Amino acid sequence: MTDTSATSAAAQAPSGVVDLLGLLAYAELVSFFRLSDAAGLAPDLAAKGELAGVAATEYRHYRMLHERLAAMGADPEAAMAPFVEPLDAWHGRTEPRTWLESLVKTYVGDGIAGDFYRTVAEHADAETAEAVRGAVSETERAEAVAVRVRTAVQEDPKLAGPLSLWARRLVGEALSQAQLVAAARPELAALVARGATGGDSGEGGSGGKGDLAAVSRLFAGLTEAHSARLEAMGLSG
Amino acid sequence: MTDTSATSAAAQAPSGVVDLLGLLAYAELVSFFRLSDAAGLAPDLAAKGELAGVAATEYRHYRMLHERLAAMGADPEAAMAPFVEPLDAWHGRTEPRTWLESLVKTYVGDGIAGDFYRTVAEHADAETAEAVRGAVSETERAEAVAVRVRTAVQEDPKLAGPLSLWARRLVGEALSQAQLVAAARPELAALVARGATGGDSGEGGSGGKGDLAAVSRLFAGLTEAHSARLEAMGLSG
């Protein structure tokens, strides 16, 4: 797997890119398994089948990221390892109790992943950028999920309050895990913050005093994108 | 979905073929979700990734069967419905407690599915037969799983006893569910029994007094194939 001639590619990648690929790889793998928790909540067999389809797409993304990491000369499992605890903790604290909660969670989670894929596409080498573009476009297919939630909320407006609260909890728990990750991986935080704001400030701050500023830009970016996603589902922040 | 012009294809299919496709479709879907129960037992991230790969293959089979049922003019969800309870019951009674138990379960389950796919390939129309051939060859890739179990048993021969007992329980629980299914779906039982014995006896017996004979042939076939699979894993019946 570890082709030593390719090690230079990982070394040449902007700081944080291997981290970000590892984070996304484990996020896709754990989402794949966690989606099955929602299988018991599915209203019927057809919905169960669709859910399995979403999970299978997540597995394809995991494979693609795993292959990219190996091609860059990185050890994919080592790249994923730092993110196991925070992502498992997020899932553990946000177990959906209803089918609609699981749809909202899928949409919110896929949305954050999409933001991160775009950051990879901007900052990684051309081959990696090309590989993740497919994942971005598939992640955007999640719009069908937003339409379902919006329709359910239109039919029963009483759902809007509890589901908005649920979405707020999802992103709150994500931010509290992100804070731990950002503190431990300053270069990753700086990279994601650059992606979130679209600029390239903080270039010199990675690993230094710029971390706190990078983290707050990161959070601002996540929160802004999250508000847009809530609106797409007919919910409010 | 339900193309009425195709309804005749389902009507012309040998009795039991739609049942068998529905049984296999739900079996693949539920295995897909159930495999995630084993994710927590995986010894490391790489094993978790491999497990996800097995699950993703099961999803592809589910999609293929779903599409074949729809193309035949059958309602895929209606075809699966009779098998939800017995398959869920089987999984509920055979929850693996260790990684090796989950490997043995995967191998035994995939093996039984493979026998059923071969029966479909023999008795269904050419297009359906062609579609399931891919599933048979992928199911046979499970040999890697057998090698893993055999290696573990060779390294620690004390495992052979408990794992052989586990395998016996898996097939015992499967037979007790199969008995209920066979009683409720005599045409399916007759079809599978013909497949298991390779002959075409019982052609006139479907739905009649031949059922009991068909069921015992079915059980004999399952048990015989199961013994061969135990041996492949270095276990004994």
Side-chain angles (χ1 to χ4, degrees):
Chain A
M1 274 295 174
T2 320
D3 177 358
T4 48
S5 72
T7 310
S8 56
Q12 282 162 16
S15 359
V17 165
V18 167
D19 265 5
L20 190 49
L21 293 173
L23 164 64
L24 283 165
Y26 187 69
E28 297 282 9
L29 183 62
V30 72
S31 290
F32 173 85
F33 286 119
R34 280 290 176 153
L35 269 179
S36 69
D37 295 349
L41 304 169
D44 53 45
L45 270 179
K48 228 180 221 192
E50 279 175 35
L51 184 72
V54 174
T57 302
E58 286 175 339
Y59 174 73
R60 271 203 310 280
H61 294 169
Y62 158 77
R63 283 301 315 163
M64 175 272 289
L65 293 161
H66 196 280
E67 280 160 21
R68 279 314 306 157
L69 280 164
M72 290 167 80
D75 174 340
E77 274 71 36
M80 288 189 267
F83 308 106
V84 170
E85 206 181 298
L87 280 160
D88 284 359
W90 183 67
H91 281 289
R93 286 168 197 192
T94 58
E95 289 190 1
R97 291 153 307 170
T98 68
W99 181 238
L100 279 170
E101 282 189 358
S102 80
L103 293 183
V104 170
K105 181 171 172 178
T106 300
Y107 187 68
V108 167
D110 275 12
I112 296 176
D115 293 344
F116 283 10
Y117 278 120
R118 266 181 286 269
T119 302
V120 172
E122 278 168 35
H123 298 280
D125 59 284
E127 229 172 322
T128 304
E130 188 48 41
V132 303
R133 257 182 258 285
V136 173
S137 70
E138 284 191 318
T139 300
E140 277 164 359
R141 273 195 225 148
E143 293 313 316
V145 175
V147 171
R148 276 192 185 223
V149 176
R150 204 164 61 231
T151 307
V153 169
Q154 274 162 358
E155 281 172 11
D156 184 0
K158 282 195 308 297
L159 293 169
L163 287 177
S164 297
L165 263 178
W166 167 245
R168 201 179 305 164
R169 205 175 116 211
L170 289 172
V171 83
E173 294 285 358
L175 290 176
S176 87
Q177 295 302 322
Q179 202 155 19
L180 298 175
V181 171
R185 324 287 295 184
E187 294 182 342
L188 172 62
L191 178 71
V192 174
R194 282 205 297 281
T197 54
D200 66 355
S201 58
E203 191 72 59
S206 68
K209 291 271 183 192
D211 298 350
L212 266 179
V215 170
S216 54
R217 276 197 304 279
L218 161 64
F219 284 15
L222 278 176
T223 311
E224 200 178 309
H226 180 67
S227 299
R229 283 191 281 269
L230 284 184
E231 217 167 296
M233 290 187 286
L235 305 177
S236 59
Chain B
M1 273 298 172
T2 319
D3 177 357
T4 48
S5 72
T7 310
S8 56
Q12 282 164 14
S15 358
V17 165
V18 167
D19 265 5
L20 190 49
L21 292 174
L23 165 64
L24 282 165
Y26 188 69
E28 297 281 9
L29 183 62
V30 74
S31 291
F32 173 84
F33 286 119
R34 280 289 176 157
L35 269 179
S36 71
D37 296 349
L41 304 170
D44 53 45
L45 271 178
K48 227 179 220 190
E50 277 174 36
L51 184 73
V54 174
T57 302
E58 286 174 342
Y59 174 73
R60 271 204 309 281
H61 295 170
Y62 158 77
R63 283 299 318 161
M64 175 273 289
L65 293 160
H66 196 279
E67 280 160 21
R68 278 316 305 158
L69 281 163
M72 290 167 80
D75 175 339
E77 273 71 37
M80 286 188 269
F83 309 107
V84 170
E85 206 181 298
L87 280 161
D88 284 358
W90 184 67
H91 281 289
R93 285 169 198 192
T94 58
E95 290 190 1
R97 291 154 306 169
T98 67
W99 181 239
L100 279 171
E101 282 189 359
S102 79
L103 292 183
V104 170
K105 182 170 170 177
T106 300
Y107 188 68
V108 167
D110 275 12
I112 297 175
D115 293 343
F116 285 10
Y117 277 120
R118 267 182 284 271
T119 302
V120 171
E122 277 169 36
H123 297 281
D125 59 282
E127 230 171 321
T128 304
E130 187 50 39
V132 302
R133 256 182 258 285
V136 172
S137 69
E138 285 193 314
T139 301
E140 278 164 359
R141 278 197 222 145
E143 293 313 319
V145 175
V147 171
R148 276 191 185 223
V149 176
R150 203 164 60 229
T151 307
V153 169
Q154 274 161 358
E155 280 171 14
D156 184 0
K158 283 194 309 296
L159 293 168
L163 287 178
S164 297
L165 262 178
W166 168 245
R168 200 180 303 164
R169 204 173 119 212
L170 288 172
V171 84
E173 294 286 357
L175 290 177
S176 89
Q177 295 304 321
Q179 201 155 19
L180 299 174
V181 170
R185 326 284 298 180
E187 293 182 342
L188 172 62
L191 178 70
V192 175
R194 282 205 298 281
T197 53
D200 68 351
S201 57
E203 191 72 59
S206 67
K209 292 272 183 192
D211 298 349
L212 266 179
V215 170
S216 53
R217 275 197 304 279
L218 161 64
F219 283 15
L222 278 176
T223 311
E224 198 176 311
H226 181 66
S227 300
R229 283 191 281 269
L230 283 184
E231 216 166 299
M233 289 186 286
L235 305 177
S236 60

